[in-house]
Amino acid sequence: MAAAKTRTSTFSRNLSTAAPSHGPGLKCGPNGTVFLSSGIPDLDKILGGGFPLGSLVMVMEDAEAPHHMLLLRNFMAQGLVLGQHLLYSSPARDPRGFLGTLPSPAASKDDKSRERDPDQEKGLRIAWQYKKYFGENQLDGQRDGKHEYSNEFDLRKPLERHFINGPRIDCVSIQDCPDLSTLRDRCATFLSQFPRNDGSISCAGRIAIQSFCAPQRAYSNMEWDMLSFIRSLKSMVRSSNSVAIITFPPSLLSPSFCKRWQHMADTLLSVKAIQDEDKELAQLLTGYQDMVGFLNVHKVARINTQVPVILEATTFSIKLQKRRYLVLECLNQAPVDGSSGTSYGTSGGCSSSSKTGNLDF
């Protein structure tokens, strides 16, 4: 009798291929999307995971307050902490001096618990016995080698010098660039280090361009040239493992060109300052005293899909928790007539009646 042949299906799953591994600071998303953190945990949650690799992010500045610098600092600091490459362009004469204002990552909960209870390990004799198998140096190396996808940054504590003085940072002063072709060449050289392929991603790059149409730039009145630069930068970023963020003041652009710039962005954000002592706004919103501005999400990047993103809210309040940490929260309406109930849109009862007493089921 002939040996029976094993029947194999052409649609059988190939178990030999493993999922591609990515470097620190990268997270896999749906439809093969790989996310890169914005440096603000709340913003990552709002956007569905962060900034997708190969996307162009544009932030519209506010002429009254530099709140866009908060987003830019956290974005740059997150990349340096994770060991990612950074290209920073600024209208200042010495752009490297801006790196000294980047915030430092705050201590994690595990570090705080160890500082709070230093004698806790003495009572755990079993855990103490495990140290002879690992050693103190190995345990410390594992703690230091742990990279978080998104950190909370302390705005009052500057970033350590060894992050700023590394060779992975490239700073460009726009005053030294006579035209946009010089900046385009610098961006192309930087992005050539992160070619896109189907394998694992060992490292990613970040590009941060501050105040692209500022008056200090020699090409601030060449709107068509700036639009061409944004289009070429978007095409270069799309074919690389990197994310580019551009901040610009929309008040310096004509309305037609401002709409064109917004259309070129994959992710479009805007910041707005809060006027001092706005009594009407203080009565309308809860937690008005802690707010420093508003963040509007106009567009969310969608890579490898045509399904639009429907956000629960598009306007969020920018708060400085303990004057140190940047926090984004949804806007909540203040209670009406001084009642002590919860914010607008939440209810803890089983009926819509506002009368007090026993509930009728």
Side-chain angles (χ1 to χ4, degrees):
M1 180 181 293
K5 296 182 179 180
T6 59
R7 300 181 60 183
T8 60
S9 174
T10 57
F11 299 99
S12 60
R13 185 177 181 181
N14 188 3
L15 301 177
S16 61
T17 59
S21 60
H22 302 307
L26 301 176
K27 182 173 64 174
C28 296
N31 304 317
T33 306
V34 180
F35 289 107
L36 182 145
S37 176
S38 64
I40 306 174
D42 293 335
L43 183 57
D44 293 340
K45 296 178 182 179
I46 294 171
L47 300 178
F51 298 143
L53 286 183
S55 63
L56 175 63
V57 183
M58 303 191 73
V59 180
M60 293 185 289
E61 304 176 3
D62 188 5
E64 298 182 359
H67 290 333
H68 63 280
M69 302 302 294
L70 297 175
L71 306 181
L72 203 63
R73 286 191 178 98
N74 283 36
F75 174 77
M76 297 170 59
Q78 183 67 72
L80 296 180
V81 169
L82 296 174
Q84 298 172 349
H85 294 252
L86 173 66
L87 173 63
Y88 172 60
S89 173
S90 171
R93 176 66 65 180
D94 183 18
R96 189 168 288 272
F98 177 75
L99 300 179
T101 64
L102 299 182
S104 177
S108 61
K109 296 181 180 180
D110 296 337
D111 297 336
K112 292 181 179 179
S113 62
R114 286 194 294 268
E115 295 177 0
R116 192 176 302 172
D117 300 328
D119 299 333
Q120 186 177 4
E121 295 183 356
K122 296 181 180 179
L124 301 176
R125 296 182 179 180
I126 299 178
W128 174 81
Q129 293 179 358
Y130 282 119
K131 292 183 179 181
K132 63 182 179 180
Y133 298 104
F134 296 97
E136 293 292 339
N137 297 331
Q138 186 174 358
L139 289 177
D140 295 338
Q142 293 177 356
R143 294 169 184 173
D144 298 338
K146 181 182 179 181
H147 298 281
E148 296 183 3
Y149 172 73
S150 180
N151 298 86
E152 290 186 354
F153 290 91
D154 190 349
L155 300 179
R156 290 189 177 185
K157 184 179 179 181
L159 194 63
E160 298 180 1
R161 290 183 176 269
H162 67 89
F163 292 113
I164 301 175
N165 298 329
R168 302 180 178 180
I169 305 175
D170 187 10
C171 296
V172 181
S173 177
I174 300 302
Q175 299 184 13
D176 299 336
C177 299
D179 52 9
L180 286 173
S181 60
T182 305
L183 181 59
R184 186 184 296 108
D185 295 339
R186 296 288 292 271
C187 293
T189 305
F190 177 80
L191 294 175
S192 62
Q193 307 175 36
F194 318 102
R196 171 156 301 196
N197 49 37
D198 297 334
S200 61
I201 304 175
S202 58
C203 188
R206 297 178 182 234
I207 296 180
I209 300 178
Q210 175 189 349
S211 302
F212 184 57
C213 60
Q216 295 88 343
R217 303 178 183 266
Y219 48 81
S220 59
N221 55 349
M222 299 184 294
E223 294 181 338
W224 283 109
D225 294 340
M226 290 188 292
L227 183 62
S228 177
F229 171 81
I230 296 175
R231 185 180 293 107
S232 61
L233 178 62
K234 181 178 180 180
S235 63
M236 291 186 296
V237 170
R238 186 60 57 88
S239 59
S240 65
N241 293 321
S242 60
V243 173
I245 180 171
I246 299 177
T247 66
F248 67 96
S251 59
L252 300 181
L253 295 174
S254 60
S256 60
F257 273 92
C258 185
K259 291 294 183 181
R260 289 187 175 96
W261 285 33
Q262 297 177 21
H263 179 71
M264 293 298 298
D266 294 317
T267 301
L268 182 61
L269 309 174
S270 66
V271 291
K272 184 178 180 181
I274 296 179
Q275 299 179 359
D276 297 336
E277 298 180 358
D278 192 344
K279 297 182 179 179
E280 296 181 358
L281 195 61
Q283 295 178 356
L284 182 63
L285 301 176
T286 59
Y288 171 79
Q289 295 78 6
D290 300 331
M291 298 181 185
V292 297
F294 297 107
L295 173 70
N296 296 320
V297 181
H298 303 275
K299 188 194 299 185
V300 179
R302 301 301 294 167
I303 307 297
N304 303 331
T305 182
Q306 296 181 353
V307 179
V309 178
I310 301 177
L311 302 177
E312 296 181 358
T314 58
T315 303
F316 302 88
S317 62
I318 303 176
K319 295 183 178 181
L320 295 179
Q321 187 178 8
K322 299 180 180 179
R323 298 184 180 273
R324 289 179 176 269
Y325 311 107
L326 185 61
V327 178
L328 301 179
E329 294 182 356
C330 295
L331 300 180
N332 294 323
Q333 184 177 354
V336 183
D337 298 332
S339 61
S340 59
T342 57
S343 60
Y344 178 78
T346 60
S347 113
C350 300
S351 63
S352 59
S353 176
S354 60
K355 298 180 181 180
T356 59
N358 297 328
L359 297 177
D360 297 331
F361 293 97

